Amino acid sequence: MPYTVPHRAVAVGVVVVLLAVSALILPFVSRQPGRIDSFIPVVQTVMSAADLITATLLFAQYAVQPHSALLAVAGGYIFAGSFAFLQTLSFPGSYAPNGLIGDVYNTPAWFFVLWYTTFPLSILAYALMKDRGKTSRLSTKASIAITLAWVFGTIALLSFLAIKETKHLPQFFTTGLMLQTPLSNQFNIGLSLLGCLVLLVLFVRRRTVLDLWLMVTLFAALPNFLVAIYAGSTRFSVGWYTARGFALIASCLLLAVLVTEMTVLYSRLASALVMQRRERANRIDSIDAATAAIAHEIRSPLGAITLDADTAQQQLAAQPPKVDEARAILKDIGVASLRVNETIASVRALFKDAAYQPAVALISIEDIARQVLRLLQHELQFNEVLVATEFRTEATFVRADPRQLQQVVLNLLKNAIEAMVSIPPSSRRLTIETRIDQSSFVQLSVQDTGIGVPPPEQKRIFEPFHTTKPAGMGLGLAICSTIIERYEGRLFLSKSGPQGSTFVISLPVAR
């Protein structure tokens, strides 16, 4: 990932803090606060663990994105972690007075040199390889296995030389741990120059978050050498302790960044999966809602067709057969079947707004109400419902799709009929009224004398899938409200109680 401005700001902040601490410590680098034998085992064991965990995460990254440059930097962290731990084993006073391996004087120093030679060289190899896009022809597992074998083989060979062949190598200490040879300072200068060279190459070729934090890591390691050059490599001085502290920070920097970035990426992935599942669930809900809505809306015309068919059979079975009435009923069946098709098209339009263009026209809401009353004529007669109309808007028009507006009025009248089923036939009265309010909205009210809507349910009756009917789906009023809102209107419950309910359709007058 390319680094961003926030990444760069944090990296610069870390560098500034390191420089500030260095400036504060500089006057006291040569002071001897005292020898703490547990310091090296604790600090460098943590460093070793951090380096090896970082290498593991880099190998895991290589398994996802097999770029050979990642193997180089992962190998560098294995070198650093291994040599840091080996130096701890050989350091006098850590786990034994004279160390567990090597000689007392020079083996720890040589492990330090190997540590800070192999790591920057590995980073240099990474910097030179990372823009080539070179991937291995081998599988990721084989490439990682070969890298591990080569790295640990190199560590084993160099460790053997530092432990068993120390007397044949240049000497850093000859007469004691507090007095170094001139060679030590020369190595410190060489290692600092090597670190600066790698830092410069990486700076020139920087592109990614990994590049940025490897630069900070290399910068944090430089005090190890600068303190030694300035005040000598005297062990257990303030400068010596501070340099080891900076080395600990350098080891943990990339690990912290990798863990942070992986956590951020994981959270994004988790959020994407949740959104994907939610979208899938929404699609399923939409399909369920569409099919349920279609079933809900075609139930009325299908019921009318069934009732008309039974009535037509009765008219034809009469003696003599009532052919004219049967013919009129069959005509109603044809009209109802066409209405089924229009209902399906209208409901499907609710679930594909982007592709559907409603057939908006100037229509009279009173004419729509009259058409619906004709469609429900047989059902109203069968349920013995007395209908009263009070149309007062004269020739006022609204802009809407006639089929969808018809569907809304039909649903309201059907609900009103069903609400009056449980009351005596003599009390069943349906009143349809129109008027124009002060805001130039045409209002069509549908009033019944049914059982009313319970007060706790009145605020939720327009919510999808919420119903007060035992066999209801809870979609009729929700769909009706959606349709009316599409034409900048409103569908609401004006009043409801034991004496009945009044639903009102309010639409703007067409100018």
Side-chain angles (χ1 to χ4, degrees):
M1 292 179 2
Y3 65 85
T4 61
V5 173
H7 285 129
R8 185 172 58 188
V10 175
V12 171
V14 172
V15 171
V16 170
V17 170
L18 293 177
L19 289 174
V21 173
S22 300
L24 292 174
I25 298 297
L26 188 61
F28 312 101
V29 291
S30 300
R31 292 191 179 183
Q32 291 285 334
R35 177 170 176 168
I36 305 174
D37 288 332
S38 61
F39 180 79
I40 284 293
V42 171
V43 171
Q44 295 199 177
T45 300
V46 173
M47 293 165 57
S48 178
D51 287 339
L52 295 178
I53 293 173
T54 303
T56 303
L57 294 178
L58 290 169
F59 280 127
Q61 178 68 28
Y62 175 80
V64 176
Q65 185 182 11
H67 198 297
S68 299
L70 288 174
L71 294 177
V73 68
Y77 272 91
I78 293 178
F79 278 126
S82 300
F83 286 129
F85 185 70
L86 289 172
Q87 190 198 33
T88 305
L89 296 179
S90 64
F91 204 86
S94 292
Y95 295 108
N98 293 325
L100 296 177
I101 56 176
D103 70 347
V104 179
Y105 299 109
N106 295 290
T107 298
W110 273 109
F111 277 130
F112 180 85
V113 171
L114 294 175
W115 175 1
Y116 284 102
T117 301
T118 55
F119 180 74
L121 289 177
S122 299
I123 303 304
L124 179 62
Y126 161 80
L128 297 176
M129 295 169 58
K130 69 185 186 70
D131 292 333
R132 297 181 182 178
K134 184 178 180 181
T135 57
S136 175
R137 297 180 180 178
L138 303 174
S139 66
T140 55
K141 292 182 179 179
S143 299
I144 293 174
I146 292 174
T147 301
L148 290 174
W150 184 85
V151 169
F152 283 116
T154 305
I155 291 172
L157 176 61
L158 295 177
S159 299
F160 173 80
L161 295 176
I163 296 170
K164 298 297 183 179
E165 302 297 327
T166 310
K167 59 184 179 180
H168 301 296
L169 298 175
Q171 303 295 301
F172 295 100
F173 297 90
T174 55
T175 59
L177 294 175
M178 299 300 177
L179 185 60
Q180 296 183 353
T181 63
L183 180 65
S184 176
N185 203 40
Q186 296 171 6
F187 264 93
N188 285 322
I189 295 174
L191 292 176
S192 61
L193 292 176
L194 175 61
C196 291
L197 173 64
V198 177
L199 184 60
L200 178 62
V201 173
L202 200 56
F203 177 80
V204 173
R205 302 174 64 86
R206 71 190 187 283
R207 300 286 186 277
T208 65
V209 176
L210 183 58
D211 299 342
L212 182 68
W213 286 101
L214 284 176
M215 290 167 53
V216 179
T217 299
L218 290 171
F219 182 85
L222 288 178
N224 268 307
F225 319 114
L226 299 179
V227 168
I229 295 170
Y230 176 77
S233 299
T234 305
R235 294 174 178 176
F236 307 112
S237 64
V238 171
W240 185 84
Y241 283 118
T242 304
R244 290 300 187 275
F246 281 4
L248 176 61
I249 294 174
S251 294
C252 296
L253 274 176
L254 187 59
L255 175 61
V257 172
L258 286 174
V259 172
T260 302
E261 293 295 333
M262 289 175 65
T263 303
V264 171
L265 292 176
Y266 175 80
S267 64
R268 291 177 182 173
L269 176 61
S271 299
L273 289 176
V274 170
M275 293 178 63
Q276 184 180 23
R277 291 174 182 173
R278 188 179 301 165
E279 178 66 21
R280 186 179 303 167
N282 289 339
R283 290 181 181 179
I284 294 174
D285 289 342
S286 297
I287 294 172
D288 290 342
T291 55
I294 292 174
H296 181 277
E297 296 304 322
I298 67 176
R299 185 175 295 168
S300 296
L302 288 179
I305 290 173
T306 302
L307 181 62
D308 286 342
D310 291 340
T311 305
Q313 290 179 358
Q314 294 174 7
Q315 301 297 331
L316 293 174
Q319 294 298 330
K322 300 179 180 180
V323 178
D324 291 338
E325 294 183 7
R327 185 180 292 112
I329 293 173
L330 292 175
K331 183 178 179 180
D332 289 342
I333 292 176
V335 173
S337 63
L338 293 175
R339 185 158 56 88
V340 171
N341 182 61
E342 292 176 354
T343 300
I344 292 174
S346 180
V347 173
R348 288 185 67 241
L350 296 175
F351 298 92
K352 55 174 185 177
D353 293 334
Y356 176 74
Q357 295 295 332
V360 178
L362 286 175
I363 57 175
S364 169
I365 196 169
E366 294 179 359
D367 291 341
I368 296 295
R370 293 189 182 99
Q371 293 172 13
V372 174
L373 285 173
R374 285 196 296 270
L375 292 173
L376 293 177
Q377 178 181 353
H378 296 294
E379 190 167 351
L380 290 167
Q381 291 175 353
F382 179 80
N383 288 281
E384 303 180 57
V385 177
L386 177 64
V387 178
T389 60
E390 298 180 15
F391 295 148
R392 305 173 183 175
T393 61
E394 300 178 354
T396 304
F397 294 90
V398 297
R399 291 186 180 275
D401 185 332
R403 295 176 304 172
Q404 291 188 342
L405 189 55
Q406 185 185 80
Q407 178 184 342
V408 173
V409 177
L410 177 64
N411 193 288
L412 294 179
L413 296 186
K414 285 281 295 181
N415 287 347
I417 294 172
E418 293 175 1
M420 294 185 287
V421 169
S422 60
I423 67 173
S426 59
S427 301
R428 297 173 186 173
R429 181 182 178 87
L430 179 63
T431 303
I432 304 174
E433 180 182 356
T434 59
R435 68 184 183 89
I436 299 179
D437 65 6
Q438 297 179 352
S439 303
S440 298
F441 274 70
V442 179
Q443 291 188 344
L444 173 70
S445 61
V446 178
Q447 180 180 359
D448 62 63
T449 56
I451 57 176
V453 180
E457 307 291 336
Q458 292 181 10
K459 294 183 178 180
R460 301 187 59 195
I461 56 175
F462 294 104
E463 295 180 5
F465 301 104
H466 179 78
T467 180
T468 58
K469 305 174 185 177
M473 296 182 181
L475 285 170
L477 290 176
I479 293 173
C480 291
S481 179
T482 301
I483 292 173
I484 297 301
E485 289 175 358
R486 173 176 291 170
Y487 303 112
E488 301 181 359
R490 189 165 70 99
L491 173 62
F492 59 93
L493 177 63
S494 176
K495 66 178 181 178
S496 184
Q499 304 303 318
S501 302
T502 302
F503 285 86
V504 178
I505 299 172
S506 180
L507 288 168
V509 175
R511 299 296 183 183

